[in-house]
Amino acid sequence: MTRQPQMTAPELQAFLDEVFPQQRGKLFVEAAGAMTARVRAPVDHSNLRPGGTVSGPTMFTVADCAFYVATLAMIGREAMTVTTNLNINFLRKPPVADLIAEARILKLGKTLSTGDVTVFSEQLDDPVAHATLTYAIPPGRG
């Protein structure tokens, strides 16, 4: 039996805006499905490091957020679901264009959510980063 999402993309966006108001306008939930999510992060010159490449922290943030969204889509409103591990590989230099992070949960348990995120640049076909993640889910939910 396939688990179904507990929250829609618009509900997830509203929740992010509520619990992370400082990020409003910086991250956009484009899709949320069963064990998946897609998040967009607009990129401008404030996201660049010397050499004109998108900074690692910018790519890290969109990957982390996408997996948070995928996990919340499946478990519901649990703001204290937190990253316990994130390993990221930067694959190629992205141009100054929106980043799109596609998250996939590989295993969703009672206390942990584990999976990966592939980060793309809007202007490239090949991924610019790949991350593996584990999130801790608060005990005693629902």
Side-chain angles (χ1 to χ4, degrees):
M1 181 170 141
T2 302
R3 293 164 114 168
Q4 294 302 311
Q6 304 298 305
M7 296 177 76
T8 66
E11 290 169 335
L12 288 156
Q13 184 69 57
F15 186 67
L16 284 182
D17 290 346
E18 174 189 328
V19 297
F20 297 107
Q22 69 277 17
Q23 292 296 316
R24 190 173 289 132
K26 295 180 183 177
L27 298 163
F28 298 95
V29 179
E30 290 192 336
M35 309 286 272
T36 65
R38 187 175 61 244
V39 171
R40 177 179 294 266
V43 171
D44 61 27
H45 292 297
S46 70
N47 303 108
L48 302 183
R49 64 176 310 274
T53 189
V54 176
S55 72
T58 299
M59 290 187 273
F60 184 102
T61 299
V62 71
D64 193 35
C65 180
F67 199 75
Y68 182 69
V69 167
T71 301
L72 291 181
M74 297 306 296
I75 68 170
R77 295 172 58 96
E78 291 289 345
M80 291 308 296
T81 299
V82 296
T83 311
T84 59
N85 185 62
L86 192 159
N87 180 57
I88 191 165
N89 292 297
F90 302 109
L91 305 173
R92 58 188 45 82
K93 179 180 176 179
V96 182
D98 288 4
L99 294 175
I100 297 111
E102 297 179 353
R104 169 179 68 154
I105 298 172
L106 299 173
K107 183 175 188 296
L108 180 61
K110 291 181 182 181
T111 59
L112 295 174
S113 175
T114 303
D116 65 359
V117 176
T118 305
V119 181
F120 295 90
S121 169
E122 184 176 54
Q123 294 181 0
L124 297 176
D125 291 332
D126 293 322
V128 297
H130 178 261
T132 56
L133 302 92
T134 301
Y135 260 73
I137 299 168
R141 62 182 176 84

